[in-house]
Amino acid sequence: AQSVTQPDIHITVSEGASLELRCNYSYGATPYLFWYVQSPGQGLQLLLKYFSGDTLVQGIKGFEAEFKRSQSSFNLRKPSVHWSDAAEYFCAVLTNTGNQFYFGTGTSLTVIP
Amino acid sequence: DVKVTQSSRYLVKRTGEKVFLECVQDMDHENMFWYRQDPGLGLRLIYFSYDVKMKEKGDIPEGYSVSREKKERFSLILESASTNQTSMYLCASSETGEKLFFGSGTQLSVL
């Protein structure tokens, strides 16, 4: 069965510090992988996606993620966090039917000034 | 830009009421989804639809039904609302094999 695990429920970082949010997936085929961000009271916005090719993908707002097949991971990174990055972050897998997504439980990010 | 519009931002209903949550997308997407979001549980799929009049159960369909009479509109129906259905409901749409576009969500409170 497909699943997505985000082991960190909540992370606190200082503004300007680097950030890494972890995501592990379980899926039998080559996955399509996504990171979404949700600001308070809002819907989800796509940060970046991986379908194939280069395993390091760049997204919006200075985020990047690296697909590691051997570790079944797709961790999200940002070299220098801004206060406006405080939000909930969700990792997701799209199945090979092309129309069913599985989401992790999310990681809540707090940024300290 | 794709727009997914949910008809209500906040909704308060009483136990036993029939509740309709409406969602409209403006980009002719094939697929539409209803998710429920609860703290610590992430997003859980209630139902999705890959074509007009077609629907598939997600992970938690109990207590819900859906309707898709037109391609752009996907309705979630709570036949008899209960307090454990108090939650944030998110609608989304996509082309097959592509990313999801989300609405802003409906915070439903059932008293």
Side-chain angles (χ1 to χ4, degrees):
Chain A
Q2 301 87 346
S3 68
V4 179
T5 302
Q6 292 180 247
D8 303 306
I9 296 172
H10 185 252
I11 285 181
T12 300
V13 298
S14 298
E15 192 168 15
S18 64
L19 172 69
E20 183 169 29
L21 303 182
R22 296 183 290 166
C23 173
N24 293 96
Y25 65 89
S26 173
Y27 185 58
T30 300
Y32 289 177
L33 295 160
F34 302 79
W35 274 100
Y36 284 85
V37 60
Q38 184 182 34
S39 298
Q42 300 296 316
L44 278 71
Q45 179 186 19
L46 181 71
L47 280 175
L48 47 78
K49 63 184 180 183
Y50 171 78
F51 281 7
S52 65
D54 192 347
T55 56
L56 184 63
V57 293
Q58 303 296 321
I60 63 171
K61 304 184 181 186
F63 285 92
E64 66 179 26
E66 186 170 13
F67 170 59
K68 292 186 177 180
R69 186 187 302 274
S70 61
Q71 298 177 20
S72 297
S73 69
F74 188 57
N75 293 349
L76 182 72
R77 300 193 294 247
K78 187 170 185 178
S80 178
V81 170
H82 189 261
W83 63 266
S84 61
D85 294 323
E88 187 99 18
Y89 291 81
F90 293 93
C91 181
V93 164
L94 174 61
T95 69
N96 59 10
T97 61
N99 59 12
Q100 193 156 4
F101 291 78
Y102 290 86
F103 283 84
T105 51
T107 297
S108 177
L109 175 66
T110 297
V111 180
I112 299 173
Chain B
D1 248 3
V2 174
K3 196 164 186 183
V4 179
T5 303
Q6 295 184 229
S7 54
S8 302
R9 185 71 183 89
Y10 297 97
L11 213 50
V12 179
K13 296 293 181 181
R14 296 205 176 275
T15 302
E17 279 192 76
K18 189 169 187 175
V19 182
F20 293 86
L21 303 183
E22 305 287 346
C23 176
V24 177
Q25 51 98 0
D26 66 358
M27 281 301 289
D28 203 37
H29 282 169
E30 300 163 346
N31 306 306
M32 295 190 74
F33 306 80
W34 276 105
Y35 288 91
R36 171 177 171 161
Q37 183 179 16
D38 300 286
L41 298 178
L43 276 70
R44 293 180 291 168
L45 181 64
I46 305 172
Y47 270 96
F48 73 98
S49 167
Y50 54 87
D51 201 352
V52 175
K53 297 191 186 292
M54 304 303 290
K55 61 184 180 184
E56 292 282 344
K57 292 181 180 178
D59 299 319
I60 52 164
E62 297 78 19
Y64 303 94
S65 62
V66 290
S67 172
R68 195 169 181 197
E69 296 296 319
K70 293 185 178 181
K71 192 173 185 180
E72 68 270 19
R73 187 180 297 270
F74 192 38
S75 303
L76 179 70
I77 303 158
L78 287 66
E79 295 290 343
S80 178
S82 63
T83 55
N84 63 12
Q85 293 178 309
T86 291
S87 187
M88 169 69 85
Y89 290 87
L90 292 168
C91 175
S93 71
S94 76
E95 282 295 318
T96 297
E98 294 295 328
K99 68 179 183 180
L100 283 169
F101 291 86
F102 282 88
S104 298
T106 296
Q107 180 63 53
L108 173 67
S109 297
V110 182
L111 306 178

